[in-house]
Structure formats: structure tokens, C-alpha cells
Amino acid sequence: MPASRPQPRPGVLDIEAYVPGKSKASGVAKIYKLSSNETPLGPSPKAIAAYRQVAEHLEDYPDGAASDLREAIGRAFGLDPDRIVCGAGSDDLLNLLARAYLADGDEAIHTTHGFLVYPIATLGAGAKPVVAPEKNFTADVDAILAALTPKTKIVFLANPNNPTGTYVPFDEVKRLHRGLPPHVLLVLDAAYAEYVRRNDYEAGIELVATTDNTVMCRTFSKIHGLAGLRLGWMYGPAHVVEAVNRIRGPFNVNAPAIAAGIAAIEDTAHQETSREHNSRWLAWLMDEIPKLGLEVTPSAANFVLIHFPKTKGRTAQDADKFLTARGLILRQVGAYKLPHALRMSVGTEEANRLVVKALGEFMGSRP
Ligand SMILES: Cc1ncc(COP(=O)(O)O)c(C=O)c1O
């Protein structure tokens, strides 16, 4: 019997829609939004100026190939611009990769606490998300390899991962790649790469350059402070770039985003200031929060995962309520199978100190 109304393809109604971080708290004079891993320092002033200039010409379509931006990214990283695709945020690119490489019945692997866009993109493409268990809140290469089946077409790995902040060293990423059949696409999502200060980390450029089945995705939403404009890019083998270019929207990146993106990637001094700020306050938060009796997962990114007790009055939900009432907005991460934790973005000095002070009061209060 034909259905009585249009039906979405199988999988679509299994998707739990992505819920962004909160940005409001009622009855509070000042809000400190620490729920979406945005930079507390904002974008480069040069990016804001470039954005404003384009506002004079909104009647013009953007360059559909984003050529100047791809060239600027190529110069910044020493990459061939022809192997770069830009997108409306890296979300756009993750979805395009899923649409290009997954068909009904295929499987895509992600890890237990992996970024939520992976199962959403996978189900949206009609395929099945397969979850590989983590160890110590960290992706486990052996578990990912054990989850491979003849139906696997993509492995998504956020490195560092959101919301845990943990990372997989380059040797392990290479071991993962070696264990994949050549037809399986390894998507290295390096949204937080700029913040990582570890000798054994590599975002993915080397693997993309030397293999035929690795793609690296990056974003302008984090260190570049352009989350509101929606801008990301990927670097991949020529054949993957060609496939993604065939299905992407012809003008998927808007003109203000292109202009601001070029100015942002060229302002290395602003990036360095943001990196320094993050290193200093990430270390401070990882030192201070455990002194309050709360466990923090070691983070290489611009946020920390704070674990709360399960006792009534001390739970992550209680803490969230307590902090929100003070204008301090963190992120509940139950949707990431972390119901007993909150994720906090590294904020301004003022915001970081206020959260630590409030958490001290919360832990010291009568449960
Ligand atoms: C791991 C990871 N990948 C990708 C993204 C998406 O970034 P964009 O704003 O570029 O879509 C995020 C954003 O939170 C993220 O945490």
C-alpha cells in the first residue's frame, strides 16, 4: 500500500536532532557562554573589517569555487589549493562526505563519545552508524579496527575529540589507517587542531598527502572565532575533492565568510594570542577544578570535561542549574553518553575564575 503522505528515507526519523549549547539564562544580568567551544577573544579585527566591506555588495553572488580563500589556506599550510574544498562550516563537509560515500545499508564507524554530527550525517545518508568503544574517554584504534565489516565505508575520528578533549597520537592514527581496507575513507576531523600542543600530534595533513583514502576537515569556528559565519574546509585526495565538488551547493560558502576567512587565516598574530590564552587557562582549569574534588579529563583542546558525583544534590544536572543561575552556561553532555559530566569551554579570565569559584561553592554547599 502506498503511504498516505510523503515519507523521508529510512534512517531520517531515527536521527536525534542536534541540540546546540544553551545561550540564555533568565533573570541573570550577565551571561558567560561557555557551552559551544567558541573563542573568548573573538575573531581577528581584520576579519571583522573584511566582513564589513563585503556588506556593501550583498547583491553579488560569491565566488562558487572560493578560489581566493582556498589559495590563502594553501599558502598558510603549504597545500595545493586544488585539493581543498570549503564548506558552510565543517558540518557541511562532514555531511557532504557522508552523502558522497555512504549508500543504504553501508556502515560508518565513530567512537562512543564521538562528535554527534557523525551519526546524524550517517543516518541522513541512509547508512548505519556503528559505535566503537573508547578507553579512558579516548578513541581506541583496536576497537575501531574490530568494528570494521565488509559494509564499512567511512571511519570518522575527531582528533582531538569533542566533548572529551582527548586526542590520538599520530603513530596511532597511522596504525589505524594501516588497518583500514583501501576503499574505506578515514575522515580526520581536526576542528581543534590549532589548540593542540603535543609533540606526538599531527592533524592529518601528512596522511592526506601520502594516502588515497584520508580526508582532513578543519573549521574557522574555533580559533578563528567565525562560528557565526559558518566556514570550514577539507583537504583530501584529488578524487575525493572531485566527488565532493560534484554534490556541494554551487555557492555553499557565502561572500562575507570568504572575505573574513582570508583575513583570519592571514592574521597569525591573532591566532597566536588565542592559542596562548587557551594554553594558559586550560592548564589553570585542569589544575584548579580537581582541587574541588571533581575529576577533569585531560584535554588538548579549548574545553574541559568535568565529571560530577552521582549523589543527589551534587550531580551534573544540579551543577548546571547552580551555574546557570549565576549566568555561567556550560554544556550538558548526556547526548554524548556522558550524563554525569559537563563540558566547559575555556573562557575569559573573568569567566574561568567565576566558574571555579561557583563550583567551589556548589561542592561546599549542603547537598
Ligand atoms: C569535533 C568537531 N567537528 C566539527 C565541528 C563543527 O564545526 P563547524 O562550526 O565548522 O561546523 C565541531 C563543532 O563543535 C566539532 O566539535
Side-chain angles (χ1 to χ4, degrees):
M1 258 249 294
S4 60
R5 56 182 191 183
Q7 299 292 312
R9 62 185 299 164
V12 170
L13 296 182
D14 298 330
I15 295 174
E16 302 242 359
Y18 185 86
V19 180
K22 287 185 294 183
S23 55
K24 293 197 175 93
S26 51
V28 185
K30 187 164 177 190
I31 298 282
Y32 299 85
K33 183 171 184 266
L34 304 167
S35 58
S36 298
N37 302 339
E38 294 136 333
T39 168
L41 303 190
S44 154
K46 292 175 185 160
I48 298 173
Y51 165 87
R52 288 211 170 106
Q53 268 196 348
V54 178
E56 304 295 319
H57 296 286
L58 295 182
E59 69 281 12
D60 294 335
Y61 276 97
D63 167 18
S67 302
D68 292 348
L69 175 59
R70 288 187 297 107
E71 276 167 25
I73 296 168
R75 278 194 302 275
F77 289 91
L79 305 177
D80 176 359
D82 288 343
R83 303 261 307 262
I84 293 171
V85 185
C86 296
S90 46
D91 285 353
D92 185 23
L93 297 163
L94 294 166
N95 276 289
L96 288 169
L97 288 165
R99 264 177 55 208
Y101 288 95
L102 297 174
D104 292 351
D106 286 343
E107 295 176 356
I109 299 174
H110 69 279
T111 64
T112 311
H113 309 297
F115 184 46
L116 275 179
V117 166
Y118 311 148
I120 293 175
T122 301
L123 286 165
K128 184 177 151 204
V130 172
V131 180
E134 299 188 5
K135 260 193 198 148
N136 294 327
F137 303 107
T138 310
D140 174 7
V141 168
D142 293 311
I144 296 173
L145 293 176
L148 285 168
T149 77
K151 294 181 179 166
T152 309
K153 295 287 161 53
I154 294 184
V155 172
F156 288 109
L157 180 70
N159 200 24
N161 184 48
N162 165 23
T164 52
T166 55
Y167 77 104
V168 179
F170 188 40
D171 277 353
E172 280 291 281
V173 177
K174 281 194 281 196
R175 188 165 74 84
L176 170 62
H177 176 267
R178 278 199 301 276
L180 299 178
H183 66 274
V184 172
L185 184 67
L186 175 60
V187 178
L188 297 173
D189 178 355
Y192 301 95
E194 291 86 352
Y195 292 112
V196 183
R197 294 199 157 175
R198 300 284 194 285
N199 290 333
D200 58 355
Y201 174 80
E202 209 276 325
I205 288 176
E206 190 182 320
L207 261 188
V208 176
T210 55
T211 72
D212 241 358
N213 60 335
T214 312
V215 166
M216 175 189 70
C217 291
R218 304 285 286 256
T219 182
F220 281 83
S221 301
K222 307 300 173 185
I223 201 149
H224 298 293
L226 296 176
L229 281 182
R230 312 304 305 125
L231 186 59
W233 59 281
M234 59 161 252
Y235 172 54
H239 64 96
V240 176
V241 165
E242 191 196 334
V244 170
N245 273 332
R246 281 172 194 258
I247 58 166
R248 73 175 170 82
F251 303 102
N252 61 331
V253 179
N254 66 68
I258 290 174
I262 293 169
I265 204 103
E266 288 177 348
D267 193 347
T268 50
H270 185 75
Q271 291 162 41
E272 199 45 45
T273 306
S274 305
R275 209 178 347 257
E276 284 296 330
H277 175 91
N278 191 68
S279 292
R280 175 170 175 217
W281 290 102
L282 179 69
W284 186 81
L285 289 166
M286 287 198 292
D287 268 357
E288 294 298 319
I289 297 172
K291 291 183 193 161
L292 310 173
L294 294 165
E295 209 176 303
V296 177
T297 299
S299 170
N302 69 335
F303 53 86
V304 286
L305 187 68
I306 311 169
H307 302 270
F308 289 82
K310 292 172 193 151
T311 33
K312 207 164 164 280
R314 291 273 193 270
T315 66
Q317 288 67 36
D318 296 322
D320 190 34
K321 233 184 258 167
F322 188 93
L323 294 169
T324 302
R326 286 154 184 77
L328 301 164
I329 303 187
L330 276 62
R331 179 68 163 263
Q332 289 206 25
V333 281
Y336 286 93
K337 303 194 184 79
L338 294 163
H340 307 298
L342 293 179
R343 190 193 68 198
M344 171 192 178
S345 312
V346 173
T348 57
E349 171 172 357
E350 183 192 11
N352 298 331
R353 290 191 187 280
L354 283 172
V355 171
V356 167
K357 186 162 168 279
L359 282 175
E361 286 163 19
F362 172 73
M363 292 303 284
S365 66
R366 205 177 274 270

